[in-house]
Amino acid sequence: AAEISASPAAEVLEGTATTLSCDVPGREGHPEELSYTWYRNSAWLKEGPAHTLLLPAVTAADAGYYSCQVTNSQGSDTAQAIALSVTYPPRIPTLTLFQETQGGRLVIVRCTVDSHPPATLVIDRDGTVLATSGAQVALGQRLGVTSSRNSLRLEMRDAGARDSGNYGCTASNVHGNASATKVLEIRAAGLLIHPSAEVTEGTAVTLTCLGTAGTAEEPLYTWYRNGRRLRESSFPTLEFPSVRGQDAGTFQCQVRSRDSRDTSEAVPLRVFYPPRQPALSSFLQSQGGRLGIIQCSVESDPESSLTLWRGDDVIACTQGCPQAATSPRVQVARSYNSLKVEIRDVVVEDEGIYVCRAGNSQGSASASVDFKA
C-alpha cells in the first residue's frame, strides 16, 4: 500500500523547500523495479524512478491535493491523496469606493484581500478606525458593517462632507500585513431628481438640493440650469408640475449659509418629447444653373426620423429608406434632426407639394411646402 508523506509538514510557509515522498513496503530492496507518477489535483505532474517530489520554494500555486501511482511489472497502486497547504501573508488589498450617483448620499467602502490563513481587515479614515472584520462594531444608525472571509464592507448612509478623507484598508495575519489607501471627496451639497433623471414630457419632476444636515440657521438654495441662475429661495426643491422639453438641461444647486457655501455636482435632466412641427423651407437658385434646395429640421428628443415626400414618392430620409426615388440630380445631406435635399438642373417635373414627416418614440409631426420651378 503506497503512502505519501510531506517534509517538513503538510502545511508550510510560502518559500519553504518541501519534499513529498511516496513510500511502499520493500521499496529499498527493489528500487529499479518501481516507477512513480505524480499528480496534483488529478493532473499529471511527472513520472520516473524517483519516489520523491521536490518543491524548492513552494508558492500559493503549489497548494492542492497530491497523489502518486507506483508501478512495477506486477501491477500498480495509487496512494491516497495528501493535502499540501501553503500559508502566505496578505497581498496588497483591493480597496474600492462607491458613491450613489444621484446626490452621493450613500457611500460604500469595500476591501478584499488574498491571504492564507485569512486576514483581519481594518478600514480607517485619516487614521481613525471605522470597521474591523473581527467584530460587528456598533457604529450608529447611519453606518453598517458586514464581513466575510478576507472581505470587509462599510456602508455610510446620509454621507456628507464630514465623510471625506483618506481611507485605508490594512490586512494582517500571522505572516505579515499589507495596506492600500484611496481618497474620498464628498460634496456637502447633493442633487436628487425624482422620479428619474430621464422622464417623458408632462411628468411631474422634483429636484431636491441635499445640504449639510444639522445647520444652525436656515440655508439659502440657489438653482442653476446650464450654468445660468434660475432662482434663489429658502426651499430646497425646484418643481416642474408638468415638465416640458425646454426644461431639460444640466442642473446644479448651491447651499449657502453664513459660514459656508457649497455647490452640487452638475446633474443632467433629460426630457423625452415628440417632434415639434418641422421647419420646412425651399429655395431656388438660378445663378450658375438652376439649383433647388429643400431643407427640413425639427426639435425632438430622442432624435426623429425625417422623411421627405412628394406625393406618394419618397425623395429622401435620414434613416435607411430603400424605397426612395433616387436620381443622379438629387443630393442628400443628413445631420441630427435635419435633412437637406439639393436638386440640380431643376425641371418642371420637380415642382409640387413636398411634405416632411418627423417621428420618434414619443410621436410624430409634419409640415409641407409648395416648391415652384
Side-chain angles (χ1 to χ4, degrees):
E3 184 175 339
I4 301 174
S5 60
S7 176
E11 181 175 281
V12 290
L13 178 63
E14 187 177 51
T16 303
T18 303
T19 301
L20 300 179
S21 299
C22 188
D23 296 309
V24 291
R27 171 181 61 81
E28 293 81 359
H30 306 280
E32 71 286 348
E33 298 178 2
L34 300 178
S35 174
Y36 299 85
T37 305
W38 287 92
Y39 300 88
R40 182 179 67 230
N41 299 330
S42 300
W44 182 91
L45 285 179
K46 62 176 291 187
E47 183 176 347
H51 76 287
T52 58
L53 178 65
L54 176 61
L55 305 172
V58 293
T59 67
D62 292 322
Y65 289 91
Y66 287 80
S67 62
C68 76
Q69 184 183 60
V70 188
T71 306
N72 66 7
S73 57
Q74 305 302 312
S76 65
D77 184 47
T78 300
Q80 184 175 348
I82 184 175
L84 178 65
S85 177
V86 179
T87 61
Y88 52 95
R91 312 306 190 199
I92 297 177
T94 299
L95 181 61
T96 55
L97 306 177
F98 169 79
Q99 293 188 60
E100 186 182 75
T101 53
Q102 269 206 50
R105 300 298 95 184
L106 172 67
V107 170
I108 297 173
V109 183
R110 185 169 182 264
C111 181
T112 57
V113 73
D114 177 25
S115 73
H116 184 58
T120 298
L121 299 175
V122 177
I123 293 176
D124 71 272
R125 181 183 66 240
D126 298 326
T128 300
V129 174
L130 298 179
T132 66
S133 60
Q136 298 295 326
V137 186
L139 297 170
Q141 292 184 348
R142 74 181 196 93
L143 301 183
V145 177
T146 54
S147 64
S148 57
R149 187 185 189 276
N150 275 348
S151 176
L152 180 62
R153 173 186 169 111
L154 171 66
E155 285 192 9
M156 297 183 290
R157 290 171 288 278
D158 300 323
R162 65 188 181 278
D163 297 308
S164 297
N166 191 40
Y167 282 75
C169 176
T170 301
S172 57
N173 65 11
V174 294
H175 301 300
N177 58 73
S179 62
T181 60
K182 277 191 176 180
V183 175
L184 175 67
E185 292 185 7
I186 304 175
R187 291 175 179 261
L191 198 159
L192 183 67
I193 301 179
H194 181 80
S196 172
E198 293 187 351
V199 295
T200 56
E201 191 172 54
T203 303
V205 175
T206 301
L207 282 70
T208 304
C209 191
L210 305 170
T212 306
T215 52
E217 60 178 299
E218 187 176 88
L220 285 176
Y221 300 91
T222 307
W223 289 93
Y224 299 87
R225 182 176 59 210
N226 300 330
R228 301 189 62 170
R229 187 175 181 272
L230 286 179
R231 76 174 198 191
E232 181 178 276
S233 73
S234 58
F235 295 100
T237 57
L238 179 64
E239 297 183 355
F240 296 95
S242 180
V243 73
R244 309 294 297 170
Q246 58 266 31
D247 296 323
T250 301
F251 288 81
Q252 286 179 288
C253 70
Q254 184 184 84
V255 185
R256 190 171 78 251
S257 62
R258 183 182 306 166
D259 303 322
S260 65
R261 174 182 304 194
D262 193 71
T263 304
S264 72
E265 292 198 18
V267 179
L269 170 65
R270 186 178 183 187
V271 179
F272 297 116
Y273 60 96
R276 309 308 190 202
Q277 184 175 13
L280 181 61
S281 59
S282 65
F283 173 74
L284 181 62
Q285 178 181 311
S286 300
Q287 196 173 23
R290 294 168 62 80
L291 175 66
I293 299 175
I294 302 173
Q295 186 159 355
C296 179
S297 61
V298 72
E299 291 183 9
S300 72
D301 192 6
E303 181 181 4
S304 289
S305 173
L306 300 178
T307 306
L308 185 65
W309 296 74
R310 187 183 68 228
D312 294 330
D313 296 327
V314 175
I315 305 302
C317 60
T318 54
Q319 299 176 14
C321 48
Q323 73 274 28
T326 58
S327 169
R329 296 187 300 112
V330 176
Q331 290 189 347
V332 181
R334 303 170 179 86
S335 59
Y336 183 86
N337 272 348
S338 179
L339 177 65
K340 180 181 179 180
V341 175
E342 292 186 356
I343 307 173
R344 301 187 180 280
D345 302 323
V346 174
V347 295
V348 175
E349 286 75 11
D350 295 322
E351 290 186 345
I353 303 296
Y354 286 77
V355 178
C356 179
R357 295 174 183 168
N360 66 8
S361 59
Q362 305 298 308
S364 61
S366 64
S368 63
V369 67
D370 188 2
F371 178 70
K372 295 185 179 298

